[in-house]
């Protein structure tokens, strides 16, 4: 199935593949906003997006029937925020949403919703005080689930633990200033793969993150450092015996009064 979402005409249009036969047109409300922050269920039956950008509601449509399958209206505390990222879990049982400050530079709240009944499973703010140095930027936040549904990868760089309710690990930025939201993917085995290089040197690079890496990141954050530096070697004590003595007064004093 091919789907086109029009923010001008407030419509969803679908075609059958590979025949190309027009399937249906779904008319949205006056304030419907099927922008790039939309998500498809794993089987492709449902699509979710901002149904009313003024009321900050989330709508889920059944593409098989063309009918509205569910709507979630967020509480008053979300009305000053914009939906910047949305993703179904691999098994389709949950829907993660990232919210930011009026399409600003940060996404600072994560909601996880139950697909079965639309209830809120988790709701927490990002970043928390000890992670404020992190750059979690962009008015288009990429969200990807790990297969066990315990963690999310945000913007291709920051691993969010849903139980800890915070960023627990950060990956370095990709080379050549690629947008990490577009060149990183979480595979079914929870390995992260990154597209690196250019032209003939382009390659896919696996990026494994172990529990010891996350523990080290926690240690670095607790000491006031940035968790993106967790894989740097630990600092060693300075060997002053090998350093030159700059206080040696045996040299000639040549300053004239």
């Amino acid at each position: 199935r091919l789907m086109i979402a029009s923010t001008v005409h407030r419509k969803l249009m679908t075609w059958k593949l590979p025949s190309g036969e027009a399937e249906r047109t779904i008319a949205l409300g006056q304030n419907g906003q099927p922008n790039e922050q939309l998500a498809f269920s794993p089987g492709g039956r449902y699509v979710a997006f901002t149904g009313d950008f003024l009321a900050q509601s989330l709508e889920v449509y059944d593409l098989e029937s063309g009918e509205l399958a569910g709507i979630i209206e967020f509480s008053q505390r979300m009305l000053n925020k914009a939906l910047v990222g949305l993703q179904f879990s691999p098994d389709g049982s949950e829907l993660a949403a990232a919210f930011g400050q009026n399409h600003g530079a940060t996404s600072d709240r994560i909601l996880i919703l139950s697909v079965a009944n639309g209830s809120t499973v988790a709701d927490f703010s990002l970043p928390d005080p000890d992670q404020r140095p992190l750059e979690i930027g962009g008015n288009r936040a990429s969200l990807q689930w790990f297969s066990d549904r315990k963690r999310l990868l945000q913007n291709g760089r920051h691993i969010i633990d849903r139980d800890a309710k915070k960023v627990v690990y950060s990956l370095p930025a990709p080379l050549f200033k690629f947008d990490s939201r577009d060149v990183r993917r979480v595979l079914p085995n929870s390995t992260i793969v990154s597209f690196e290089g250019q032209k003939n040197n382009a390659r896919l690079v696996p990026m494994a993150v172990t529990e010891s890496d996350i523990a080290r990141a926690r240690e670095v954050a607790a000491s006031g450092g940035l968790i993106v530096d967790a894989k740097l070697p630990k600092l060693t004590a300075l060997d002053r015996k090998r350093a030159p003595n700059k206080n040696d007064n045996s040299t000639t004093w040549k300053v004239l009064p």
Side-chain angles (χ1 to χ4, degrees):
R1 177 183 287 118
L2 172 68
M3 189 195 82
I4 293 179
S6 172
T7 58
V8 176
H9 301 96
R10 310 295 185 194
K11 293 179 180 179
L12 297 179
M13 293 158 281
T14 62
W15 289 262
K16 294 180 180 179
L17 294 178
S19 67
E21 177 186 353
E23 189 174 29
R24 61 176 47 85
T25 297
I26 302 172
L28 307 177
Q30 182 178 357
N31 297 323
Q33 191 73 9
N35 52 22
E36 59 185 2
Q37 283 81 38
L38 53 78
F40 293 94
S41 63
R45 177 173 179 174
Y46 299 103
V47 60
F49 55 87
T50 303
D52 188 328
F53 68 91
L54 294 179
Q56 276 298 76
S57 66
L58 180 69
E59 294 183 357
V60 181
Y61 278 84
D62 186 336
L63 296 178
E64 296 289 343
S65 65
E67 297 179 352
L68 180 64
I71 183 170
I72 299 171
E73 294 184 355
F74 299 109
S75 61
Q76 289 293 319
R77 69 179 184 279
M78 305 301 294
L79 295 183
N80 65 335
K81 298 181 183 294
L83 179 66
V84 295
L86 196 62
Q87 187 66 45
F88 281 93
S89 63
D91 62 359
S93 65
E94 293 181 320
L95 184 62
F99 289 84
Q101 294 288 343
N102 296 323
H103 295 285
T106 58
S107 48
D108 56 11
R109 195 176 196 93
I110 299 293
L111 261 68
I112 299 178
L113 308 168
S114 169
V115 172
N117 53 29
S119 63
T120 299
V121 178
D123 179 1
F124 52 91
S125 298
L126 288 175
D128 57 29
D130 63 338
Q131 297 300 330
R132 292 194 186 280
L134 286 176
E135 174 60 34
I136 309 181
N139 59 4
R140 176 178 63 87
S142 164
L143 284 177
Q144 297 182 60
W145 289 83
F146 286 80
S147 57
D148 59 7
R149 294 191 291 115
K150 293 181 179 179
R151 290 171 180 156
L152 291 160
L153 179 66
Q154 184 180 33
N155 292 351
R157 292 195 61 192
H158 309 293
I159 298 177
I160 300 169
D161 188 291
R162 63 185 295 176
D163 292 331
K165 298 183 178 181
K166 64 179 181 180
V167 175
V168 294
Y169 195 82
S170 286
L171 299 164
L175 301 176
F176 303 107
K177 296 183 179 180
F178 288 151
D179 192 331
S180 58
R181 293 172 294 191
D182 299 324
V183 300
R184 298 225 171 117
R185 291 292 181 271
V186 179
L187 301 182
N189 64 355
S190 293
T191 298
I192 300 169
V193 65
S194 179
F195 178 85
E196 302 283 354
Q198 290 182 319
K199 297 182 179 179
N200 294 336
N201 294 323
R203 63 196 187 280
L204 293 175
V205 179
M207 308 179 73
V209 179
T210 66
E211 291 300 323
S212 61
D213 291 333
I214 293 176
R216 171 61 181 155
R218 189 184 307 115
E219 178 184 340
V220 170
S223 65
L226 300 179
I227 59 178
V228 71
D229 297 331
K231 283 200 172 183
L232 292 178
K234 293 184 178 181
L235 295 177
T236 57
L238 175 64
D239 186 357
R240 296 184 179 274
K241 294 181 180 179
R242 300 179 60 182
N245 186 359
K246 297 298 183 181
N247 295 322
D248 186 357
N249 295 324
S250 62
T251 58
T252 303
W253 183 260
K254 296 182 179 181
V255 178
L256 299 177

